[in-house]
Amino acid sequence: MAKKKIALIGGGQIGGNLALLAAQKELGNVVIFDIPKAEGMVKGKALDLMQLRPHDGHDVTITGSSNYSDISGADVIIITAGIPRKPGMDREDLLGINLGIMKDVATNVKEYAPNAFVIVISNPLDAMVYAFYKVSGFDKNKIVGMAGALDSGRFRAFIAMETGYSVQDVTCMVLGGHGDTMVPITRLATVGGVPVTDLISPERLKKIEDRTRAAGGEIVKLFGNGSAFYAPAQSAIEMAESYLRDKKRVIPCASLCEGEFGVDGYFIGVPSVIGSGGVEKVLEFTLRDDEQSELNKTLDAVKKTVGETGL
Ligand code: A3D
């Protein structure tokens, strides 16, 4: 079977890790695209990764390029093009610069890889995925934002750290926009099927929820320059793998809602089934009144940023 092709638009911190993980999982041949100024950097990363293969034994190729024609026919596109946060910045502060970049990326992806499944990571996430959708005209099931996977992963990690039990057995979900208003659905979180509300006190759970909402900022502050990259890359790879291998995993993703959870016409974090059809379904379930009102608040925040795109 011919190998699949994964094109990474942006070969910075997350892009480099995406290339490593995609190659190690043998998802397909990888092209790392970046602007001409960064051509040497992505070509160097690609060569370094080619030289990692003998140790790992994976038989995919990794190339770097600043020529859009090299992404031609990609099956999956993962977009990290843009700038990350610095301490003191909100994700929304990135809109001015990253919107222009996303418009350019969407135009080129539409031209060179019109059939790809596109995963957006650039911030402010919910507005960037909306911008890609509007500019490219892609079908709603072929365009999705990575955020809920990461936010839920962070929630899982903190619950595992709190209880000392295996992170593998922690399940939970975080819905809503990728910002301070995201909504951890704590009543559905379990460890090995046991509700966390029976394992962790309400006070500690509240602290874990707050830390989850602020988890990106905690790392930005520690770095002093730039934002998280290992976990964001792994989260997006999970989504790409589910698409390429038709796994139909249920992952919280920024999917276009058309009435689900009372959201219409916006991308927002909701449980999404990812298979060979892309985002095949949004799994709607009944929220409690307090959860729905929190979701409405996060939707207002997303609407505000999307409004500022003028799209
Ligand atoms: P960084 O290491 O700066 O990489 C970004 C890359 O984009 C750089 O190599 C740039 O040269 C490149 N780039 C800039 N303009 C263009 C363009 N027009 N076309 C192609 N490439 C371009 O950043 P990073 O990898 O750490 O983060 C990338 C983005 O992801 C930022 O916007 C972050 O805020 C965002 N991010 C999102 C999450 C989510 O959970 C949604 C988490 C972490 C970071």
Side-chain angles (χ1 to χ4, degrees), residues 17 34 45 57 71 118 126 197 262 268-269 277-278 284 296 308:
N17 280 284
D34 211 305
K45 281 189 181 177
I71 73 160
V118 176
D126 308 276
T197 44
I268 197 163
E284 196 178 8
N296 295 346
E308 286 165 15

Side-chain angles (χ1 to χ4, degrees), residues 9-16 33-35 37-38 41-42 45 68 79-85 91 94 98 100-102 104-105 120-125 128 145-148 150-151 154 178 226-229 232:
I9 314 295
Q13 294 281 47
I14 303 177
F33 172 90
D34 211 305
I35 49 177
K37 203 173 79 179
M41 186 261 295
V42 289
K45 281 189 181 177
Y68 260 115
I79 305 171
T80 59
I83 55 162
R85 282 193 285 171
R91 293 176 180 91
L94 306 173
N98 286 357
I101 292 174
M102 189 56 68
D104 175 57
V105 171
V120 172
I121 304 185
S122 313
N123 271 320
L125 189 275
M128 288 297 105
M146 186 297 293
L150 174 67
D151 299 328
R154 285 171 166 162
H178 183 56
S227 53
F229 48 90

